[in-house]
Amino acid sequence: MSEVTPEAPTGQQFTIAHGPFEATVVEVGGGLRSFTKDGMAVVAGYAEDEECRSGRGQQLMPWPNRIRDGRYEFAGQSQQLSITEVPRDNATHGLVRWALWELLEHEPESVAVRYRLHPQPGWPHQLDLRTTYVLDDTGLIVTPAARNVGTRPAPFGYGAHPYLSIGSLPIDDVELHVPAATWLATDDRMLPTRTHPVDGTRYDFRHGGRAGSEILDTAYTDVRRDDDGMWRCRVQSEAFGSVTLWADAAFPWLQVFTGAAHLHKGAPGVAVEPMSCPADAFNSGTSLVVLEPGEEWTGTWGIHPG
């Protein structure tokens, strides 16, 4: 009887490298498993023989975050998605993070993966999804895209779930820089209630501040962009240095999540999630993208040390 070699829990592994940088993208979900500089973690990922937990590096399409009761109405039709966050009775983080993505192109410094999202219960649309990962002198550049290849308009939102590494530091000692003037309050189901200015609140990290002992799982908007049109969110400490996540105009929202570090779930890190829309956008319409047949959405975000 021949010996069976076990496959990695996240399927095929696609590794790219440039100078001091190396990154690995996985077949399951087409997500980012690891990103290092000189062998040191830039993102808090997971090992090849581990399952992806806490959403590390996953892609969230065709919506990020949560949809209340898994229900929404679009184009005059009511839809019911599967409930994937059972304790809170929500449909969460889209339909593709556990799907098998296809390798489209693999070069030494770049990799592109794709997935055809077909109609299914609660989702009567067809999208071609594609994500390209590139390493250059600055770090990692990620470009997702979604094209409507169906015959009807389709609602769409995108999010990504990388965790910026903080080494072995306690999360309380980490400094956050979040360039956003507004935060989004949520109820006990983590669904949006209303937005508030960050002024005078514990959610104001525009000029830097300690993450502190309370868990953040907070969406931000009204982001301040630099002269190049990008917003930049930084996680920093004296002992470990800093890691910055940036995003272009396709991402008017970001989410900051410190819970995994507080609860010691996997390698310590702070999730900084670029998002095209907030939670429950299929119902609220807030920043929701509507793709007409043949139309494509795309955006670019990235991560660099320092």
Side-chain angles (χ1 to χ4, degrees), residues 87-146:
R88 295 190 176 113
D89 198 29
N90 298 316
T92 187
H93 287 337
L95 300 169
V96 302
R97 60 186 183 138
W98 303 110
L100 295 181
W101 285 57
E102 178 186 359
L103 179 65
L104 181 62
E105 184 178 282
H106 193 179
E107 301 294 337
E109 299 176 346
S110 67
V111 62
V113 291
R114 66 183 176 186
Y115 182 73
R116 169 67 65 87
L117 178 58
H118 288 286
Q120 54 193 276
W123 175 258
H125 310 287
Q126 258 185 325
L127 299 181
D128 267 351
L129 307 176
R130 181 182 72 255
T131 304
T132 302
Y133 299 83
V134 177
L135 290 175
D136 67 6
D137 291 344
T138 66
L140 177 69
I141 301 170
V142 184
T143 303

Side-chain angles (χ1 to χ4, degrees), residues 19-22 36-42:
F21 299 117
E22 184 175 281
T36 62
K37 180 182 180 182
D38 293 322
M40 299 292 292
V42 179

